[in-house]
Amino acid sequence: MFRQNETALIIGAGLQGCSIALFLARAGWNVTLLDKNVAGRHASSVNAGGLRTLMRDWREYPLSELAMHHWKHLDQIVGQDAAASCEVRLGVGQIAVALDEAELSWTYNRAQDMKERGLGAEELLSAKDVRQMLPGLTDTAMGGLVSRGDGHANPAASTRAFREAAIAAGARIVENCRVLGLDRVPGGGWAIETSSGAYETGVLINCAGAWGAQIAAMAGQTLPLKVVAPSMMVTARTQPFLEPVVIGIDRPLSFKQSAVGSLVIGGGILGKPCADHDTSFTVMDRMTQGAAATLEAFPGLAHVPVLRTWTGLEGSTPDGIPFIGPGENRSDFWNVFGFCGHGFQLAPAVGHVVSRSLISGRIDPLLTPFSCARFNTGGAG
């Protein structure tokens, strides 16, 4: 069992790393975060900021519900002023729109499956319901699913809030510090060679995001991960008409209207990842797919111009859920990465549950689905 005077070194100072650092530091641990860039530069700050339980993989659902509790009480985690800056809006809802028979059939099957599992608060919507809730929605919409308690937050401000709260709790963040190698220390712990010098720690936590598999390989672990670059775009301001977040089922549709009236559009359109250069690029020919899906659902938006596009680097696992847990036979090395573009909402629960597991020395049952051994890909034990 680990003790409260344990040391933890976290590779990656994005939202997941800062959340874990915050909870561990408040429990009395000596915590250092290393980031090869600026903390929170990549996926943590450039995502859509969705606070979504809707359409979650059922394996993520219990963790997502715990996360939603933390978002509702964010002031208790990061402080009142910082929580206010995060612009958390819960209760506006997220709605998945069915635009054809196949998507409508999927909503029925999804609702039945979640009911049988005893999970979730997703409600089926009729064609009339969904049009009433979404002004401007195409008359051909056939129905949908809604999770009324869902919403969104400001991702960059949220990442900053967790980072500053972690520092206030005693965690140390070292930026522009690239990890070059890892070695086991005789008797336990790790030695880390970096571009900024050497570090030692009792527990090593890999929160390296799109580079998570590379760090795992340094520790003798082989984990499957694909680096992707989800794209976003934002439009000019338009008259406020929409409160819920709208997402597609089989279409690349995902958007919300900001407080100033602009539309923030995602939907899973992928850009070009260049992980070796710590960057990614929008592929403009693909962005038209997201715009077309938006106009299919809301044809009245055809006059609204797109002002800016961007991408962020993320890691995607073969089964669509992250790795969260110790490496095989290595309780002092944890992997926490591969969130597949939907880890923002989970972050407070990840910090809470990972820290609770490390402090107690027992892996929390909420983490069972995310085992690093689930693909049995081998690697050193």
Side-chain angles (χ1 to χ4, degrees):
M1 180 181 294
F2 300 118
R3 306 298 179 185
Q4 284 195 343
N5 63 353
E6 270 286 1
T7 58
L9 187 143
I10 301 171
I11 300 173
L15 185 56
Q16 306 295 344
C18 286
S19 180
I20 296 169
L22 171 57
F23 281 94
L24 283 178
R26 286 186 177 167
W29 283 45
N30 184 342
V31 183
T32 300
L33 297 101
L34 307 181
D35 199 288
K36 63 184 176 59
N37 299 127
V38 176
R41 170 184 168 184
H42 293 289
S44 296
S45 296
V46 299
N47 62 82
L51 300 180
R52 173 178 64 85
T53 61
L54 181 67
M55 292 174 58
R56 285 266 176 197
D57 188 298
W58 67 267
R59 294 168 291 180
E60 286 185 347
Y61 214 94
L63 194 65
S64 183
E65 288 186 313
L66 175 61
M68 201 62 85
H69 169 80
H70 286 317
W71 284 108
K72 289 176 182 175
H73 304 284
L74 190 61
D75 59 322
Q76 298 176 17
I77 299 177
V78 301
Q80 187 171 359
D81 290 343
S85 75
C86 296
E87 302 173 16
V88 176
R89 294 194 66 197
L90 292 173
V92 298
Q94 293 217 10
I95 299 175
V97 177
L99 296 177
D100 59 35
E101 290 282 359
E103 292 184 342
L104 185 65
S105 177
W106 184 91
T107 66
Y108 291 130
N109 292 334
R110 163 75 179 188
Q112 181 62 32
D113 180 62
M114 295 298 281
K115 181 179 179 181
E116 291 174 355
R117 295 182 186 279
L119 297 174
E122 298 178 2
E123 303 172 33
L124 284 167
L125 297 174
S126 68
K128 180 180 178 181
D129 294 333
V130 76
R131 290 173 199 155
Q132 286 180 340
M133 297 177 71
L134 300 175
L137 182 65
T138 176
D139 291 340
T140 61
M142 304 184 74
L145 280 173
V146 61
S147 181
R148 297 181 187 273
D150 289 0
H152 53 84
N154 183 313
S158 299
T159 300
R160 182 168 58 251
F162 274 85
R163 181 179 70 232
E164 296 304 317
I167 292 171
R172 177 191 179 202
I173 298 179
V174 183
E175 298 180 322
N176 300 308
C177 179
R178 188 176 295 270
V179 173
L180 304 176
L182 307 174
D183 288 300
R184 292 297 300 268
V185 174
W190 292 86
I192 300 94
E193 180 186 358
T194 80
S195 58
S196 300
Y199 296 83
E200 287 195 7
T201 187
V203 177
L204 184 59
I205 306 171
N206 173 15
C207 293
W211 299 268
Q214 296 179 22
I215 298 298
M218 292 183 185
Q221 302 287 313
T222 302
L223 294 173
L225 190 76
K226 180 180 180 180
V227 178
V228 295
S231 302
M232 302 287 297
M233 52 185 160
V234 65
T235 73
R237 298 178 182 184
T238 189
Q239 189 69 24
F241 72 101
L242 186 70
E243 281 200 334
V245 178
V246 182
I247 60 177
I249 296 173
D250 289 328
R251 289 163 169 78
L253 172 66
S254 174
F255 77 101
K256 66 182 180 183
Q257 188 167 33
S258 71
V260 298
S262 56
L263 299 175
V264 182
I265 302 172
I269 301 300
L270 298 180
K272 179 182 179 181
C274 299
D276 290 345
H277 298 283
D278 297 346
T279 192
S280 56
F281 298 94
T282 300
V283 179
M284 294 308 298
D285 289 348
R286 298 175 187 171
M287 299 302 287
T288 59
Q289 300 173 42
T294 300
L295 293 181
E296 181 183 9
F298 292 88
L301 297 176
H303 68 286
V304 181
V306 173
L307 297 184
R308 183 169 66 92
T309 67
W310 68 93
T311 60
L313 289 168
E314 171 67 301
S316 181
T317 64
D319 61 352
I321 61 173
F323 295 115
I324 310 175
E328 291 184 70
N329 303 317
R330 293 190 172 183
S331 61
D332 60 356
F333 178 82
W334 276 57
N335 292 297
V336 184
F337 66 87
F339 285 87
C340 305
H342 46 80
F344 175 76
Q345 187 264 351
L346 297 175
V350 170
H352 180 186
V353 177
V354 169
S355 64
R356 184 165 67 192
S357 299
L358 288 168
I359 292 164
S360 69
R362 297 182 296 273
I363 299 174
D364 193 289
L366 286 176
L367 300 182
T368 300
F370 313 111
S371 168
C372 297
R374 67 184 186 268
F375 294 109
N376 297 315
T377 54

